[in-house]
């Protein structure tokens, strides 16, 4: 089940929300756990055992870490427990996500026909694996206390709002709210509005421009031109942003409705003026996770330039691999590693001397090119697509390119504006004016009507059976 589905919007979500508020507060964690397990089991019930195992596994590890610290064995037995937790979590993740990738590459290198296991990837396994790992690491470090209630811990791990597409919610982010959290009409209404805005991003923006990317990527080479290839690259650039940030908005909104405050995951990344700034704005919780639990423990930038470059190489290789079992994801990670090293070495100093608009153009060029690497899971097709972008062996413009550019020009302008703070600032200013003239209540209901309109338009798109992909099955 995904958020942008009729079943979720019309049946599961309304029923869960109503029953949650009817449920006594002492039973709400148990109810959310049951609802989350039902949500996860809807599409693949057999893999629910993996999530339950991870939950029990790290619950026990947390209790053991607490026990050994209390008995003065944190640096002996505690380290063993921590190692078991990390190896166990990564082992499960690697088995399901990378076994077939490794086998296929061994077969290609040796020339042997090695049968693949054909394992389906449990949805959200990369997200909840990182969450449970961060929990045991934080318990070992003394940053959080071990959770004694397995129901509460299970609710944290399985919580459906952020299960399938993030943000990566560390236990420290919600430690207090796991035990006690405040719910109110205003908080629920704000969460509902945030959820519906995210739904609009996903269904009305990401899905529509994503269909254009699929159309262009599926064309024969003879039908393409350089300008059409760039239009396809722009289309995927907008699709993945509005899809991913839309899911994050929906997750944060759902969390607010249930009394949780999840961390922000995006901060207008396409406004960045460098690749360094882009990665401070894009998938913030993943970047924070790798920095906190890998980059800094490896030594960060404290051990000289050479060691820092090695640490960055490890982090970005694994960042690429985390996104999917494919060479294009590894290349994508290494691509950003190279850009970040160049910026840290000298490029940032040069960029700061340029006008702001040129800094934006520089960053967006490399960002768009990076998304092409991310999107093309076949390396031969990636090579051909990069040639098209460079205009090698293809015309600059053809008739189809003129048609597609003219057809989608207005929509592209809307996407550009929606990916910046301009529309948000304009809407906030408008609401301030309305609040000042006719009252805050009127402004609240006006925003509610706008969100309801988004819901109705999104529902119309979903009922019509329009293009509605789930980009995070690889994660």
């Amino acid at each position: 089940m995904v958020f942008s589905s009729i079943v979720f919007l019309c049946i599961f979500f309304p029923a869960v929300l109503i029953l949650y508020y009817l449920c006594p507060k002492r039973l709400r964690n148990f109810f959310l756990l049951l609802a989350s397990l039902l949500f996860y089991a809807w599409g693949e019930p057999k893999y629910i055992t993996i999530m339950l195992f991870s939950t029990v596994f790290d619950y026990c590890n947390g209790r053991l870490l607490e026990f050994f610290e209390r008995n003065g064995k944190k640096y002996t037995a505690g380290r063993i427990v921590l190692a078991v937790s990390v190896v166990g979590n990564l082992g499960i993740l690697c088995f399901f996500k990378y076994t077939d990738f490794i086998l296929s590459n061994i077969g290609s290198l040796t020339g042997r026909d090695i049968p693949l296991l054909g394992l389906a990837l449990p949805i959200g396994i990369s997200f909840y694996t990182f969450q449970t790992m961060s929990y045991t690491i934080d318990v070992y470090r003394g940053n959080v206390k071990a959770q004694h209630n397995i129901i509460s811990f299970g609710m944290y791990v399985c919580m459906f709002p952020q299960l399938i597409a993030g943000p990566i919610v560390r236990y420290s982010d919600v430690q207090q709210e796991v035990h006690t959290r405040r719910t109110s009409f205003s908080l629920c209404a704000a969460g509902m509005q945030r959820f519906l805005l995210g739904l609009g991003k996903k269904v009305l923006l990401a899905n529509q421009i994503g269909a254009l990317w699929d159309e262009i990527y599926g064309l024969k080479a003879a039908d393409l031109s350089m300008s059409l290839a760039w239009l396809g690259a722009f289309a995927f650039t907008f699709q993945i942003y509005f899809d991913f940030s839309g899911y994050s908005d929906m997750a944060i909104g759902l969390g607010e409705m249930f009394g949780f405050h999840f961390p922000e995951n995006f901060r207008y990344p396409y406004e960045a003026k460098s690749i360094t700034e882009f990665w401070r704005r894009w998938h913030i919780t993943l970047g924070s996770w790798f920095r906190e639990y890998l980059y800094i423990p490896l030594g960060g930038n404290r051990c000289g330039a050479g060691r820092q470059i090695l640490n960055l190489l490890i982090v970005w290789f694994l960042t690429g691999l985390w996104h999917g079992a494919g060479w294009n994801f590894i290349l994508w990670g290494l691509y950003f590693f190279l850009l970040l090293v160049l910026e840290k070495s000298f490029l940032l100093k040069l960029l700061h001397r340029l006008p702001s608009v040129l800094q934006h153009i520089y960053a967006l060029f490399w960002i768009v090119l990076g998304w092409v690497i991310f999107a093309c899971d076949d390396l031969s097709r990636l090579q051909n697509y990069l040639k098209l972008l460079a205009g090698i062996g293809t015309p600059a413009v053809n008739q189809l390119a003129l048609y597609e550019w003219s057809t989608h020009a207005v929509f592209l302008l809307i996407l550009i504006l929606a990916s910046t703070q301009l529309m948000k600032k304009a809407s906030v200013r408008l609401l301030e004016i309305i609040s000042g003239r006719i009252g805050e209540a009127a402004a609240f209901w006006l925003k509610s009507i706008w969100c309801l309109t988004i819901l109705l338009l999104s529902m119309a798109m979903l009922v019509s059976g329009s293009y509605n992909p789930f980009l995070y099955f690889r994660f």
Side-chain angles (χ1 to χ4, degrees), residues 2 29 42 47 53 105 131-132 151 190 203 223 267 297 325 331 347 387 430 451:
V2 294
N29 282 355
W42 187 266
Y47 285 134
F53 173 80
N105 280 281
Q131 287 183 186
T132 57
I151 299 298
V203 177
D223 298 325
R267 195 167 57 248
L331 287 174
L347 265 182
K387 288 181 179 179
L430 179 62
C451 290

Side-chain angles (χ1 to χ4, degrees), residues 384-410:
N384 292 333
Y385 205 92
L386 292 176
K387 288 181 179 179
L388 289 169
L389 293 176
I392 299 174
T394 189
V397 184
N398 61 5
Q399 196 65 34
L400 182 58
L402 292 173
Y403 170 78
E404 295 289 8
W405 273 100
S406 60
T407 302
H408 294 90
V410 175

Side-chain angles (χ1 to χ4, degrees), residues 251-474:
I252 292 169
L254 285 169
E256 286 183 332
M257 284 183 262
F258 294 114
F260 292 95
H261 294 83
F262 299 155
E264 293 292 337
N265 213 21
F266 291 89
R267 195 167 57 248
Y268 300 101
Y270 294 161
E271 289 187 349
K273 299 177 183 178
S274 67
I275 300 303
T276 301
E277 184 184 355
F278 171 74
W279 279 106
R280 290 173 183 158
R281 294 169 172 259
W282 178 276
H283 204 345
I284 297 168
T285 57
L286 179 68
S288 174
W289 197 98
F290 272 109
R291 182 175 61 254
E292 181 73 21
Y293 299 107
L294 185 60
Y295 180 67
I296 292 175
L298 285 173
N301 58 0
R302 305 186 305 272
C303 304
R307 181 60 184 271
Q308 183 185 13
I309 291 173
L310 176 61
N311 294 340
L312 287 170
L313 174 62
I314 294 170
V315 167
W316 284 98
F317 173 83
L318 293 176
T319 299
L321 194 61
W322 181 89
H323 281 84
W327 284 108
N328 63 309
F329 296 111
I330 295 173
L331 287 174
W332 177 78
L334 296 178
Y335 166 86
F336 278 111
F337 155 74
L338 180 60
L339 288 173
L340 289 168
V341 168
L342 290 174
E343 286 191 355
K344 288 180 183 296
S345 299
F346 65 92
L347 265 182
L348 279 179
K349 294 179 181 178
L350 297 178
L351 281 173
H352 291 157
R353 299 175 185 175
L354 298 176
S356 179
V357 64
L358 292 181
Q359 294 180 47
H360 279 299
I361 292 171
Y362 155 85
L364 287 173
F365 174 80
W366 295 113
I367 290 166
V368 172
L369 203 59
W371 288 132
V372 171
I373 298 171
F374 188 93
C376 298
D377 51 9
D378 184 299
L379 294 186
S380 61
R381 294 198 68 180
L382 171 60
Q383 182 180 9
N384 292 333
Y385 205 92
L386 292 176
K387 288 181 179 179
L388 289 169
L389 293 176
I392 299 174
T394 189
V397 184
N398 61 5
Q399 196 65 34
L400 182 58
L402 292 173
Y403 170 78
E404 295 289 8
W405 273 100
S406 60
T407 302
H408 294 90
V410 175
F411 189 43
L412 285 171
L413 179 59
I414 293 171
L415 293 170
I416 291 170
L417 293 174
S419 64
T420 70
Q421 297 183 65
L422 292 176
M423 292 185 74
K424 181 180 179 181
K425 288 180 177 178
S427 62
V428 168
R429 180 57 183 157
L430 179 62
L431 288 174
E432 287 176 350
I433 294 172
I434 293 172
S435 298
R437 292 185 178 180
I438 57 178
E440 292 185 6
F444 169 80
W445 287 110
L446 184 63
K447 185 176 181 181
S448 298
I449 292 170
W450 169 243
C451 290
L452 181 61
T453 304
I454 291 174
L455 173 62
L456 294 175
L457 291 173
S458 300
M459 290 290 291
M461 288 287 186
L462 294 172
V463 169
S464 68
S466 62
Y467 179 80
N468 187 33
F470 181 57
L471 293 183
Y472 307 104
F473 68 95
R474 292 187 181 114

Side-chain angles (χ1 to χ4, degrees), residues 63-120:
R63 296 297 301 272
L64 285 171
L65 286 168
E66 180 186 56
F67 172 80
F68 288 129
E69 181 176 14
R70 192 165 56 239
N71 289 274
K73 297 180 180 180
K74 176 179 178 178
Y75 298 106
T76 52
R79 286 185 176 180
I80 295 173
V81 173
L82 180 63
V84 168
S85 173
V86 172
V87 171
N89 281 294
L90 292 179
I92 294 171
L93 177 63
C94 291
F95 177 74
F96 282 96
K97 195 167 184 176
Y98 305 109
T99 299
D100 281 354
F101 175 66
I102 293 170
L103 291 176
S104 63
N105 280 281
I106 291 174
S108 299
L109 289 172
T110 61
R112 297 174 58 189
D113 185 16
I114 301 176
L116 304 181
L117 300 182
L119 296 170

